[in-house]
Amino acid sequence: MPSGSPQPVVPLDDDDYPAYTMGRAAEMLGTTPAFLRTLGEHRLITPLRSEGGHRRYSRYQLRIAARARELVDQGTPIEAACRIVILEDQLEEAQRINEQLRTQGGRPQPNTPA
């Protein structure tokens, strides 16, 4: 590949790429597949499905699941843990947007390029 050409995008560098099977995700989190299914039932994470119908999780989803597990391990009911994680995620996004607006002098950036 010539030095001036852009590097190809490797899916594993993408936080949203569904790289992990349910078994591997549960192993990485130190939990059970049932816990991951429960997070799906509470709509905290929605894994993509392989062609064979198997759940596949991204690194972003694993971080969300890890936070929920942390709360559950501290004694928070799973329903409440899921709601807390959702609210934390929404707050983080709102803070990011507020910071972006502050640095742009209060003007939101258009979604389309000029």
Side-chain angles (χ1 to χ4, degrees):
M1 181 176 289
S3 61
S5 298
Q7 293 292 331
V9 176
V10 178
L12 295 177
D13 290 342
D14 181 356
D15 256 5
D16 294 319
Y17 183 74
Y20 304 98
T21 63
M22 177 180 274
R24 180 67 180 130
E27 180 183 314
M28 291 170 68
L29 295 171
T31 189
T32 64
F35 179 78
L36 291 173
R37 282 192 295 274
T38 301
L39 296 181
E41 291 167 9
H42 290 288
R43 297 188 177 144
L44 180 61
I45 56 176
T46 304
L48 292 176
R49 298 282 182 147
S50 68
E51 288 184 20
H54 300 282
R55 291 174 178 90
R56 305 286 294 195
Y57 296 88
S58 68
R59 286 188 296 197
Y60 173 75
Q61 290 172 326
L62 293 184
R63 283 195 303 274
I64 295 291
R67 176 64 179 133
R69 179 171 183 240
E70 180 182 311
L71 291 167
V72 169
D73 287 351
Q74 293 172 359
T76 305
I78 195 161
E79 300 84 5
C82 290
R83 186 67 183 139
I84 289 168
V85 173
I86 289 168
L87 291 170
E88 287 175 343
D89 199 45
Q90 289 172 345
L91 176 60
E92 185 179 315
E93 176 67 7
Q95 288 172 331
R96 186 192 63 74
I97 290 168
N98 283 340
E99 181 59 30
Q100 182 182 35
L101 289 173
R102 262 187 242 118
T103 61
Q104 297 167 3
R107 293 181 311 272
Q109 286 286 12
N111 289 336
T112 56

